[in-house]
PDB file of all heavy atoms in Angstrom:
ATOM      1  N   ALA A 335      -2.415  20.605  -9.582  1.00  0.00           N
ATOM      2  CA  ALA A 335      -2.388  21.379 -10.822  1.00  0.00           C
ATOM      3  C   ALA A 335      -3.725  21.295 -11.554  1.00  0.00           C
ATOM      4  O   ALA A 335      -4.238  22.306 -12.063  1.00  0.00           O
ATOM      5  CB  ALA A 335      -1.259  20.878 -11.725  1.00  0.00           C
ATOM      6  N   VAL A 336      -4.307  20.102 -11.622  1.00  0.00           N
ATOM      7  CA  VAL A 336      -5.595  19.939 -12.311  1.00  0.00           C
ATOM      8  C   VAL A 336      -6.693  20.702 -11.567  1.00  0.00           C
ATOM      9  O   VAL A 336      -7.513  21.399 -12.177  1.00  0.00           O
ATOM     10  CB  VAL A 336      -5.953  18.450 -12.441  1.00  0.00           C
ATOM     11  CG1 VAL A 336      -7.392  18.282 -12.925  1.00  0.00           C
ATOM     12  CG2 VAL A 336      -4.998  17.748 -13.397  1.00  0.00           C
ATOM     13  N   THR A 337      -6.707  20.583 -10.254  1.00  0.00           N
ATOM     14  CA  THR A 337      -7.746  21.254  -9.466  1.00  0.00           C
ATOM     15  C   THR A 337      -7.617  22.764  -9.580  1.00  0.00           C
ATOM     16  O   THR A 337      -8.626  23.477  -9.674  1.00  0.00           O
ATOM     17  CB  THR A 337      -7.673  20.808  -7.997  1.00  0.00           C
ATOM     18  OG1 THR A 337      -7.737  19.380  -7.931  1.00  0.00           O
ATOM     19  CG2 THR A 337      -8.823  21.385  -7.192  1.00  0.00           C
ATOM     20  N   ASP A 338      -6.403  23.261  -9.579  1.00  0.00           N
ATOM     21  CA  ASP A 338      -6.194  24.710  -9.756  1.00  0.00           C
ATOM     22  C   ASP A 338      -6.743  25.175 -11.103  1.00  0.00           C
ATOM     23  O   ASP A 338      -7.246  26.303 -11.225  1.00  0.00           O
ATOM     24  CB  ASP A 338      -4.703  25.048  -9.669  1.00  0.00           C
ATOM     25  CG  ASP A 338      -4.170  24.971  -8.247  1.00  0.00           C
ATOM     26  OD1 ASP A 338      -5.000  24.890  -7.307  1.00  0.00           O
ATOM     27  OD2 ASP A 338      -2.933  24.987  -8.075  1.00  0.00           O
ATOM     28  N   GLN A 339      -6.659  24.334 -12.104  1.00  0.00           N
ATOM     29  CA  GLN A 339      -7.064  24.723 -13.458  1.00  0.00           C
ATOM     30  C   GLN A 339      -8.560  24.555 -13.707  1.00  0.00           C
ATOM     31  O   GLN A 339      -9.194  25.426 -14.318  1.00  0.00           O
ATOM     32  CB  GLN A 339      -6.279  23.914 -14.491  1.00  0.00           C
ATOM     33  CG  GLN A 339      -6.447  24.409 -15.921  1.00  0.00           C
ATOM     34  CD  GLN A 339      -5.458  23.772 -16.879  1.00  0.00           C
ATOM     35  OE1 GLN A 339      -4.460  23.179 -16.455  1.00  0.00           O
ATOM     36  NE2 GLN A 339      -5.721  23.903 -18.167  1.00  0.00           N
ATOM     37  N   VAL A 340      -9.149  23.415 -13.237  1.00  0.00           N
ATOM     38  CA  VAL A 340     -10.555  23.133 -13.591  1.00  0.00           C
ATOM     39  C   VAL A 340     -11.439  22.897 -12.373  1.00  0.00           C
ATOM     40  O   VAL A 340     -12.612  22.541 -12.541  1.00  0.00           O
ATOM     41  CB  VAL A 340     -10.643  21.928 -14.551  1.00  0.00           C
ATOM     42  CG1 VAL A 340      -9.967  22.245 -15.867  1.00  0.00           C
ATOM     43  CG2 VAL A 340     -10.048  20.665 -13.923  1.00  0.00           C
ATOM     44  N   GLY A 341     -10.927  23.075 -11.166  1.00  0.00           N
ATOM     45  CA  GLY A 341     -11.736  22.904  -9.971  1.00  0.00           C
ATOM     46  C   GLY A 341     -11.903  21.439  -9.586  1.00  0.00           C
ATOM     47  O   GLY A 341     -11.547  20.529 -10.334  1.00  0.00           O
ATOM     48  N   ILE A 342     -12.491  21.217  -8.401  1.00  0.00           N
ATOM     49  CA  ILE A 342     -12.615  19.859  -7.892  1.00  0.00           C
ATOM     50  C   ILE A 342     -13.574  19.025  -8.742  1.00  0.00           C
ATOM     51  O   ILE A 342     -13.349  17.842  -8.983  1.00  0.00           O
ATOM     52  CB  ILE A 342     -13.062  19.857  -6.402  1.00  0.00           C
ATOM     53  CG1 ILE A 342     -12.907  18.462  -5.789  1.00  0.00           C
ATOM     54  CG2 ILE A 342     -14.476  20.371  -6.241  1.00  0.00           C
ATOM     55  CD1 ILE A 342     -11.499  18.018  -5.571  1.00  0.00           C
ATOM     56  N   ASP A 343     -14.640  19.640  -9.226  1.00  0.00           N
ATOM     57  CA  ASP A 343     -15.570  18.885 -10.064  1.00  0.00           C
ATOM     58  C   ASP A 343     -14.926  18.529 -11.400  1.00  0.00           C
ATOM     59  O   ASP A 343     -15.169  17.444 -11.946  1.00  0.00           O
ATOM     60  CB  ASP A 343     -16.857  19.673 -10.289  1.00  0.00           C
ATOM     61  CG  ASP A 343     -17.680  19.802  -9.010  1.00  0.00           C
ATOM     62  OD1 ASP A 343     -17.660  18.853  -8.198  1.00  0.00           O
ATOM     63  OD2 ASP A 343     -18.313  20.857  -8.813  1.00  0.00           O
ATOM     64  N   GLY A 344     -14.109  19.438 -11.929  1.00  0.00           N
ATOM     65  CA  GLY A 344     -13.382  19.135 -13.156  1.00  0.00           C
ATOM     66  C   GLY A 344     -12.373  18.030 -12.943  1.00  0.00           C
ATOM     67  O   GLY A 344     -12.218  17.139 -13.800  1.00  0.00           O
ATOM     68  N   PHE A 345     -11.707  18.059 -11.786  1.00  0.00           N
ATOM     69  CA  PHE A 345     -10.773  16.969 -11.474  1.00  0.00           C
ATOM     70  C   PHE A 345     -11.506  15.645 -11.363  1.00  0.00           C
ATOM     71  O   PHE A 345     -11.006  14.598 -11.813  1.00  0.00           O
ATOM     72  CB  PHE A 345     -10.027  17.247 -10.167  1.00  0.00           C
ATOM     73  CG  PHE A 345      -9.339  16.036  -9.618  1.00  0.00           C
ATOM     74  CD1 PHE A 345      -8.134  15.618 -10.146  1.00  0.00           C
ATOM     75  CD2 PHE A 345      -9.917  15.268  -8.604  1.00  0.00           C
ATOM     76  CE1 PHE A 345      -7.503  14.455  -9.673  1.00  0.00           C
ATOM     77  CE2 PHE A 345      -9.304  14.127  -8.127  1.00  0.00           C
ATOM     78  CZ  PHE A 345      -8.093  13.727  -8.661  1.00  0.00           C
ATOM     79  N   ASN A 346     -12.693  15.647 -10.784  1.00  0.00           N
ATOM     80  CA  ASN A 346     -13.428  14.399 -10.546  1.00  0.00           C
ATOM     81  C   ASN A 346     -13.833  13.678 -11.817  1.00  0.00           C
ATOM     82  O   ASN A 346     -14.279  12.522 -11.752  1.00  0.00           O
ATOM     83  CB  ASN A 346     -14.648  14.656  -9.659  1.00  0.00           C
ATOM     84  CG  ASN A 346     -14.286  14.751  -8.186  1.00  0.00           C
ATOM     85  OD1 ASN A 346     -13.216  14.302  -7.768  1.00  0.00           O
ATOM     86  ND2 ASN A 346     -15.165  15.342  -7.386  1.00  0.00           N
ATOM     87  N   ARG A 347     -13.652  14.294 -12.963  1.00  0.00           N
ATOM     88  CA  ARG A 347     -13.857  13.551 -14.207  1.00  0.00           C
ATOM     89  C   ARG A 347     -12.862  12.401 -14.344  1.00  0.00           C
ATOM     90  O   ARG A 347     -13.060  11.490 -15.151  1.00  0.00           O
ATOM     91  CB  ARG A 347     -13.724  14.485 -15.419  1.00  0.00           C
ATOM     92  CG  ARG A 347     -14.888  15.454 -15.580  1.00  0.00           C
ATOM     93  CD  ARG A 347     -14.835  16.127 -16.936  1.00  0.00           C
ATOM     94  NE  ARG A 347     -15.797  17.206 -17.035  1.00  0.00           N
ATOM     95  CZ  ARG A 347     -15.928  17.982 -18.095  1.00  0.00           C
ATOM     96  NH1 ARG A 347     -15.137  17.804 -19.152  1.00  0.00           N
ATOM     97  NH2 ARG A 347     -16.821  18.944 -18.118  1.00  0.00           N
ATOM     98  N   VAL A 348     -11.805  12.464 -13.552  1.00  0.00           N
ATOM     99  CA  VAL A 348     -10.815  11.392 -13.583  1.00  0.00           C
ATOM    100  C   VAL A 348     -11.445  10.050 -13.217  1.00  0.00           C
ATOM    101  O   VAL A 348     -10.967   8.989 -13.634  1.00  0.00           O
ATOM    102  CB  VAL A 348      -9.645  11.737 -12.635  1.00  0.00           C
ATOM    103  CG1 VAL A 348      -9.998  11.464 -11.188  1.00  0.00           C
ATOM    104  CG2 VAL A 348      -8.371  10.997 -12.998  1.00  0.00           C
ATOM    105  N   TRP A 349     -12.541  10.083 -12.450  1.00  0.00           N
ATOM    106  CA  TRP A 349     -13.173   8.856 -11.953  1.00  0.00           C
ATOM    107  C   TRP A 349     -14.267   8.351 -12.891  1.00  0.00           C
ATOM    108  O   TRP A 349     -14.979   7.408 -12.543  1.00  0.00           O
ATOM    109  CB  TRP A 349     -13.786   9.109 -10.570  1.00  0.00           C
ATOM    110  CG  TRP A 349     -12.886   9.774  -9.583  1.00  0.00           C
ATOM    111  CD1 TRP A 349     -13.069  10.996  -9.006  1.00  0.00           C
ATOM    112  CD2 TRP A 349     -11.661   9.269  -9.032  1.00  0.00           C
ATOM    113  NE1 TRP A 349     -12.048  11.285  -8.141  1.00  0.00           N
ATOM    114  CE2 TRP A 349     -11.163  10.246  -8.138  1.00  0.00           C
ATOM    115  CE3 TRP A 349     -10.933   8.088  -9.223  1.00  0.00           C
ATOM    116  CZ2 TRP A 349      -9.973  10.075  -7.426  1.00  0.00           C
ATOM    117  CZ3 TRP A 349      -9.745   7.922  -8.515  1.00  0.00           C
ATOM    118  CH2 TRP A 349      -9.282   8.910  -7.625  1.00  0.00           C
ATOM    119  N   THR A 350     -14.426   8.939 -14.072  1.00  0.00           N
ATOM    120  CA  THR A 350     -15.524   8.573 -14.967  1.00  0.00           C
ATOM    121  C   THR A 350     -15.398   7.142 -15.478  1.00  0.00           C
ATOM    122  O   THR A 350     -16.361   6.374 -15.481  1.00  0.00           O
ATOM    123  CB  THR A 350     -15.592   9.537 -16.163  1.00  0.00           C
ATOM    124  OG1 THR A 350     -15.691  10.879 -15.666  1.00  0.00           O
ATOM    125  CG2 THR A 350     -16.777   9.226 -17.059  1.00  0.00           C
TER     126      THR A 350
END
Side-chain angles (χ1 to χ4, degrees):
V336 170
T337 306
D338 286 348
Q339 190 169 344
V340 296
I342 192 71
D343 291 326
F345 165 79
N346 280 341
R347 288 192 189 178
V348 79
W349 311 117
T350 305

